[in-house]
Amino acid sequence: MELLNKRTIEENIFKILMIASVCIVLGSLIVIFGLVIVNGASSLTLEMITQTPTPSLPGSPPGGGILNAIVGSLLLALPATGFASLIAIGIALFLQADFLHPAVSNTIRFMLDVLWGIPSIIYGIFCLMIMIYIGMSSSLIVGIIALTMLEIPIITRSMDESIKMVPIGLREGSYSLGSTKFETAVRVVRRQAFPGILAGILLGFGRGIGDAASILFTAGFSNHIPTSIFDSTAALPTMIYNLYSTPLGQSKAFAAAFILLMIVLIVSVLSRLLTRRFKKHIIK
Amino acid sequence: MNTRKLRDIIGTNLMRIATLFIFFLFFSILILLVYRSTLVLGAHSITDVLFTSIWNPDNNQFGLAAVLIDTILVTGIALLVAIPISLLSAVYIVEYAPLRLRRTIRPFIDVLAGVPSVVYGLCAFLFLAPFVKDVVAPWFGVQSTGLCIFSAAMILSIMVFPIIISLCIEAFDAIPISLKEASLSIGATKWETVKKVVFRASAPSVMAAILLGFGRAFGETIAVNMVIGGTIRLPSSIFNPGETLASLIASKYGELMSIPVYESALMLVALILFIVVFLFFFLGFLLLRRAKKRWNY
């Protein structure tokens, strides 16, 4: 009977609960992926990814595809990630002790954390306010700005984590050879932290391309591929958000969700592979 | 020599400008939100806005009580479900799972964290809501359309799993193994060790993980907006439709942008979101910083 005492029973009960919890977490992931892949793959036709939506008469099913959203998403997320990365790498390198007092850089880190955490809809309305104030209408460029703001804290914090890991000896070595602070930051620290920097950029891209709330009002919506940066544009998340409640739009919404999920997955796998690849080149 | 010095000065200043931009962004968002919400606070007292529940912009009534209660309900239920499941999962992954399983679970958790919220919303709208309508609500003996507070809370809890789990894994990993070994060596079972040593040693960082999860759940806009139904009324059950602070902005901002007081009321909502998230993150990171200092991770 020794085996079945109270303590062993408790141990076993909790072990079962733990396994059940892991199953719930992984199960929900599998269910969501399953739903999107099954429904998305069946509605993903060649027409879907090569055509823009055809304007539908009231009462008739909307035809065409979601090419405008695919192109729109890339046009929004790629430049936004580019701008955000440029700004983020400046901040992340500047947050080191070489440039700033730790008290100051910790305050900035905290601000970045808050900015990382505030709901993306706030970036959306912030940009919208400014947009209305200077007399613009919803357009690609405002959407890019909103996404850039959203991505900066994500990318910076991620880069900062890896830059912190750069051994101080490397920097000291660089200084002792007579390099300036900027040269050390850009040529030595940046190179050593490169895998982390890359992972940060990809993380930001993945977050940016999937965000709907920040571009809902700033990028607007249109059925065409934008021809200039002042055109409003559709994107995959806003396409889903606009179409999910209409029965006829659901196949398009699932096709868009499928593409979005694939992009996020590819980015995540890519980030792992590239980080591993570039880790070979850093000095241990 | 001069060009190098010049490049150093230019480069450093560019980096300084980028860093100042963070200050600028942070404070300009805060100031703009405060400035824009003064209009509604001038017309109504803050207690009026927060503690009455009649939202009727045409009639110049902006009571947020119903929305606040819905927000607290949705976030509270979501966390009530998410916290035990995430904690137990994290314990299993760190303390019980074989190394190979552990290595494969981690990437899955990361992927779960990266899934766009609109995708969660789509799945919840098309599959969770009908399930709630046909199975869960009748089981509790109530009628529901499925687009309700309960559905929103369920999808939110799935969305905060990865945040809490990955922060907890980090926290549990950081505890010195000697502490656990000491407990095991005097005959404690694994679960007892977890309960009395691991949980206690990592309490601040687990608390931080919960606070950060709360911040995420509190501000989630799109997924909640898609399944909550969008009704501003004091809820009589969790199977009633509702509206949270964040989803209110998303659903109302498109309309009536020309009415300044209405817009100002929505800005006040955004300000509340900002302040609450700020407070929770502030607490969360304070705890996390202390925990990191203590266990050096």
Side-chain angles (χ1 to χ4, degrees):
Chain A
M1 285 312 285
E2 191 56 42
L3 272 175
L4 279 177
N5 63 22
K6 220 178 113 200
R7 295 167 59 207
T8 330
I9 293 170
E10 191 184 328
E11 169 87 21
N12 285 332
I13 288 173
F14 274 96
K15 203 165 173 184
I16 291 166
L17 283 178
M18 282 175 206
I19 293 173
S21 308
V22 174
C23 288
I24 291 173
V25 172
L26 292 184
S28 56
L29 176 74
I30 291 165
V31 165
I32 285 170
F33 268 71
L35 286 173
V36 173
I37 288 170
V38 168
N39 290 290
S42 63
S43 52
L44 201 68
T45 54
L46 195 63
E47 189 197 0
M48 194 63 96
I49 52 170
T50 53
Q51 287 182 11
T52 57
T54 47
S56 64
L57 300 164
S60 72
I66 53 168
L67 181 67
N68 58 331
I70 301 171
V71 176
S73 254
L74 294 176
L75 285 178
L76 283 166
L78 288 175
T81 310
F83 294 142
S85 312
L86 271 180
I87 298 172
I89 191 145
I91 302 168
L93 289 174
F94 201 68
L95 284 180
Q96 296 169 82
D98 310 29
F99 293 100
L100 279 180
H101 192 273
V104 181
S105 50
N106 280 335
T107 315
I108 295 173
R109 285 194 181 107
F110 172 67
M111 281 178 163
L112 285 165
D113 287 331
V114 175
L115 289 173
W116 175 82
I118 59 172
S120 53
I121 187 104
I122 291 186
Y123 291 104
I125 55 173
F126 177 70
C127 287
L128 186 73
M129 289 280 81
I130 294 170
M131 177 182 100
I132 291 170
Y133 186 73
I134 60 173
M136 283 174 78
S137 56
S138 59
S139 57
L140 189 58
I141 181 76
V142 186
I144 291 173
I145 293 170
L147 275 190
T148 307
M149 288 181 182
L150 174 81
E151 285 183 27
I152 287 172
I154 299 168
I155 301 180
T156 312
R157 283 302 272 145
S158 168
M159 285 179 176
D160 183 43
E161 289 298 324
S162 75
I163 285 175
K164 264 196 229 164
M165 296 294 164
V166 174
I168 190 140
L170 270 181
R171 272 185 269 157
E172 282 169 348
S174 166
Y175 287 136
S176 69
L177 291 172
S179 339
T180 61
K181 280 183 188 176
F182 182 66
E183 282 166 344
T184 308
V186 172
R187 302 229 176 107
V188 178
V189 177
R190 195 259 303 149
R191 210 162 278 184
Q192 176 75 4
F194 192 69
I197 289 172
L198 206 64
I201 294 173
L202 287 170
L203 184 73
F205 178 75
R207 197 60 59 82
I209 202 164
D211 194 74
S214 61
I215 55 169
L216 201 55
F217 309 118
T218 50
F221 195 79
S222 90
N223 278 334
H224 315 284
I225 294 171
T227 50
S228 88
I229 54 169
F230 299 108
D231 276 357
S232 55
T233 178
L236 290 167
T238 46
M239 187 80 149
I240 301 174
Y241 185 68
N242 282 342
L243 292 178
Y244 75 98
S245 55
T246 59
L248 291 168
Q250 272 159 17
S251 69
K252 272 188 191 171
F254 266 115
F258 180 78
I259 294 171
L260 202 54
L261 206 56
M262 286 305 126
I263 293 175
V264 170
L265 261 185
I266 290 168
V267 165
S268 154
V269 171
L270 204 65
S271 148
R272 257 158 216 286
L273 289 180
L274 287 178
T275 328
R276 196 173 303 160
R277 213 193 119 120
F278 283 108
K279 263 206 177 121
K280 273 191 265 177
H281 303 307
I282 68 173
I283 301 159
K284 301 233 164 53
Chain B
M1 193 59 197
N2 255 334
T3 44
R4 282 181 59 205
K5 203 146 202 186
L6 195 67
R7 205 184 295 155
D8 184 59
I9 292 167
I10 293 172
T12 309
N13 278 317
L14 280 178
M15 278 157 46
R16 185 169 293 140
I17 291 167
T19 311
L20 283 176
F21 178 72
I22 289 299
F23 274 100
F24 170 76
L25 189 63
F26 187 89
F27 287 110
S28 56
I29 289 177
L30 190 62
I31 290 167
L32 192 81
L33 290 180
V34 171
Y35 171 70
R36 283 285 173 160
S37 50
T38 47
L39 192 59
V40 73
L41 289 179
H44 308 270
S45 72
I46 181 106
T47 47
D48 249 18
V49 175
L50 292 183
F51 300 115
T52 59
S53 65
I54 301 155
W55 176 272
N56 190 352
D58 298 329
N59 224 344
N60 200 11
Q61 288 169 304
F62 300 98
L64 284 175
V67 181
L68 284 171
I69 290 172
D70 285 351
T71 310
I72 293 166
L73 274 176
V74 169
T75 322
I77 296 170
L79 286 181
L80 222 57
V81 175
I83 290 170
I85 292 180
S86 315
L87 273 181
L88 287 172
S89 303
V91 169
Y92 183 79
I93 293 168
V94 174
E95 302 292 340
Y96 287 79
L99 196 65
R100 259 185 64 193
L101 184 65
R102 199 180 150 176
R103 286 220 180 104
T104 37
I105 288 180
R106 277 308 292 273
F108 277 113
I109 306 278
D110 289 347
V111 168
L112 199 57
V115 174
S117 56
V118 70
V119 173
Y120 283 108
L122 181 67
C123 291
F125 179 80
L126 289 173
F127 300 99
L128 180 66
F131 179 74
V132 170
K133 177 189 171 191
D134 296 332
V135 181
V136 183
W139 197 63
F140 282 99
V142 281
Q143 286 259 313
S144 171
T145 55
L147 299 177
C148 59
I149 295 170
F150 180 76
S151 306
M154 285 304 106
I155 198 67
L156 262 189
S157 70
I158 294 178
M159 293 176 73
V160 295
F161 283 160
I163 298 170
I164 303 185
I165 292 178
S166 59
L167 283 168
C168 282
I169 289 178
E170 262 181 44
F172 295 157
D173 265 341
I175 296 162
I177 195 150
S178 55
L179 278 182
K180 292 178 211 164
E181 281 169 347
S183 163
L184 290 171
S185 71
I186 52 169
T189 63
K190 242 179 172 180
W191 169 248
E192 281 168 341
T193 307
V194 167
K195 192 168 62 173
K196 300 208 167 127
V197 177
V198 177
F199 277 168
R200 203 165 285 183
S202 62
S205 26
V206 169
M207 195 60 219
I210 291 170
L211 288 175
L212 298 192
F214 176 91
R216 210 5 88 86
F218 191 81
E220 178 48 46
T221 310
I222 293 295
V224 171
N225 186 287
M226 287 164 90
V227 289
I228 201 164
T231 313
I232 305 170
R233 202 185 311 138
L234 283 173
S236 56
S237 94
I238 55 168
F239 293 103
N240 280 11
E243 189 83 286
T244 66
L245 289 169
S247 75
L248 179 76
I249 304 177
S251 48
K252 302 293 179 201
Y253 211 86
E255 59 185 64
L256 293 168
M257 258 184 345
S258 47
I259 302 176
V261 188
Y262 192 1
E263 191 195 301
S264 170
L266 291 179
M267 285 297 166
L268 180 70
V269 173
L271 182 66
I272 297 172
L273 276 179
F274 189 96
I275 292 172
V276 173
V277 169
F278 177 87
L279 287 179
F280 274 80
F281 270 62
F282 185 67
L283 269 177
F285 282 105
L286 229 56
L287 285 170
L288 209 56
R289 193 161 294 164
R290 194 197 285 171
K292 282 190 177 176
K293 212 171 262 173
R294 181 155 171 217
W295 301 121
N296 286 319
Y297 76 101

